């Protein structure tokens, strides 16, 4: 119950100060237009796809949007700890997990809104899901599953890296991981060693699996993502959660001393 109260607290912050989530969405839409409209005509998709780069790009942009939640979560957790808000929560009769679950609950609700907006924008730009409705629902659940896992990574960073340069450090981390994947181009267009790294990127697994489920071109003709994308899209977030959920709980307990 206390976790839901803290979730509503975070949502009220966004209602009163909506610019951060609005700018995040605007930035994703800007990237979508830049890559899909301005550069898309020059990008070829291996394995067919009719040259429809927009159909390839959209699931990648959905995946990228799920990753961007990491920075906001880390910043919010770090600011609460730095300003003493976390100390106030400790003085209240609430469980130690309520604070982190409250933040993650609010972020997950925001994630659903982001996906709705991005899917609507994609439809306006001509993107279509060629798979079944049930497969599309599974694709959305996989995207939210990735977001849930990455949020725990963000919570851990926010509780352990609270210096002024923390947000810059995370930004430097997020962008290489986002681009060193199959979100924008197929790994098969990359040099061999780089393609191997991109293929084992957790973001690539979710993007490849959602492309399959949405009935969009995957740009993959061989390799682990061609045969095991769905398994990897479930397994990578499970591994990330299994590592960073207990680490986040440990970091929060250390703040108590």
């Amino acid at each position: 119950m206390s976790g839901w109260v803290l979730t509503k607290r975070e949502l009220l912050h966004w209602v009163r100060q909506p610019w951060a989530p609005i700018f995040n969405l605007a930035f994703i839409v800007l990237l979508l237009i830049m890559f899909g409209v301005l550069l898309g005509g020059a990008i070829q998709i291996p394995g067919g796809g009719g040259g429809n780069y927009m159909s390839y790009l959209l699931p990648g942009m959905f995946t990228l949007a799920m990753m961007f939640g990491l920075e906001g979560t880390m910043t919010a957790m770090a600011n609460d700890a730095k300003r003493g808000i976390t100390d106030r929560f400790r003085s209240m009769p609430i469980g130690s997990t309520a604070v982190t679950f409250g933040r993650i609950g609010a972020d997950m609700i925001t994630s659903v809104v982001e996906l709705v907006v991005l899917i609507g924008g994609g439809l306006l730009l001509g993107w279509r899901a060629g798979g079944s409705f049930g497969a599309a629902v599974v694709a959305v659940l996989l995207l939210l599953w990735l977001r849930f896992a990455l949020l725990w990574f963000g919570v851990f960073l926010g509780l352990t890296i609270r210096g002024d340069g923390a947000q810059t450090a995370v930004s430097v981390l997020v962008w290489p991981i986002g681009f060193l994947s199959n979100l924008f181009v197929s790994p098969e267009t990359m040099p061999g060693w780089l393609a191997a790294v991109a293929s084992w990127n957790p973001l690539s697994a979710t993007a490849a699996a959602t492309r399959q489920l949405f009935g969009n071109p995957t740009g993959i003709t061989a390799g682990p993502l061609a045969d095991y994308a769905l398994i990897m899209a479930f397994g990578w977030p499970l591994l990330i959660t299994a590592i960073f959920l207990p680490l986040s709980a440990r970091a929060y307990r250390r703040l108590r001393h």
Side-chain angles (χ1 to χ4, degrees):
M1 185 66 181
S2 55
W4 172 240
V5 172
L6 293 174
T7 295
K8 291 193 291 185
R9 165 188 175 260
E10 299 296 340
L11 292 176
L12 285 175
H13 283 174
W14 286 329
V15 170
R16 293 168 183 167
Q17 299 177 348
W19 297 114
I22 288 175
F23 280 134
N24 284 338
L25 270 175
F27 184 63
I28 291 289
V29 172
L30 180 63
L31 285 178
L32 173 61
I33 294 174
M34 182 176 68
F35 280 92
V37 179
L38 298 180
L39 305 178
I43 299 177
Q44 299 296 320
I45 305 172
N52 189 354
Y53 179 66
M54 187 64 72
S55 295
Y56 176 87
L57 177 65
L58 259 296
M61 297 304 299
F62 299 156
T63 305
L64 184 65
M66 297 300 97
M67 186 184 186
F68 277 173
L70 164 69
E71 188 173 347
T73 298
M74 186 222 71
T75 303
M77 294 298 296
N79 287 340
D80 280 354
K82 185 177 180 180
R83 293 182 296 177
I85 296 176
T86 304
D87 292 332
R88 298 176 194 172
F89 288 143
R90 292 176 195 149
S91 65
M92 300 178 182
I94 58 176
S96 59
T97 59
V99 176
T100 53
F101 273 101
R103 176 68 204 189
I104 285 179
D107 280 336
M108 292 302 296
I109 293 173
T110 305
S111 302
V112 174
V113 176
E114 288 179 357
L115 277 178
V116 170
V117 173
L118 290 173
I119 289 173
L123 292 172
L124 290 175
L125 290 173
W127 172 75
R128 294 293 183 270
S132 66
F133 177 78
V137 171
V138 174
V140 171
L141 291 176
L142 283 178
L143 289 165
L144 294 175
W145 175 227
L146 175 68
R147 177 68 164 248
F148 178 79
L150 292 177
L151 289 177
W152 283 111
F153 183 40
V155 168
F156 172 73
L157 292 177
L159 293 174
T160 54
I161 308 175
R162 299 189 299 277
D164 293 335
Q167 187 170 357
T168 301
V170 171
S171 297
V172 171
L173 175 69
V174 164
W175 283 105
I177 293 177
F179 278 94
L180 189 55
S181 66
N182 68 352
L183 301 189
F184 300 101
V185 296
S186 171
E188 296 184 15
T189 65
M190 305 175 186
W193 67 271
L194 198 60
V197 174
S199 295
W200 287 101
N201 187 328
L203 301 182
S204 294
T206 297
T210 53
R211 284 175 180 129
Q212 291 179 6
L213 292 166
F214 282 131
N216 297 145
T218 64
I220 299 170
T221 59
L225 290 178
D227 300 317
Y228 306 109
L230 286 172
I231 296 175
M232 294 171 68
F234 179 79
W236 271 121
L238 180 63
L239 178 62
I240 294 170
T241 303
I243 293 173
F244 288 104
L245 193 157
L247 285 178
S248 298
R250 182 168 176 261
Y252 185 85
R253 287 195 298 270
R254 285 189 169 186
L255 288 177
R256 300 171 68 92
H257 302 288

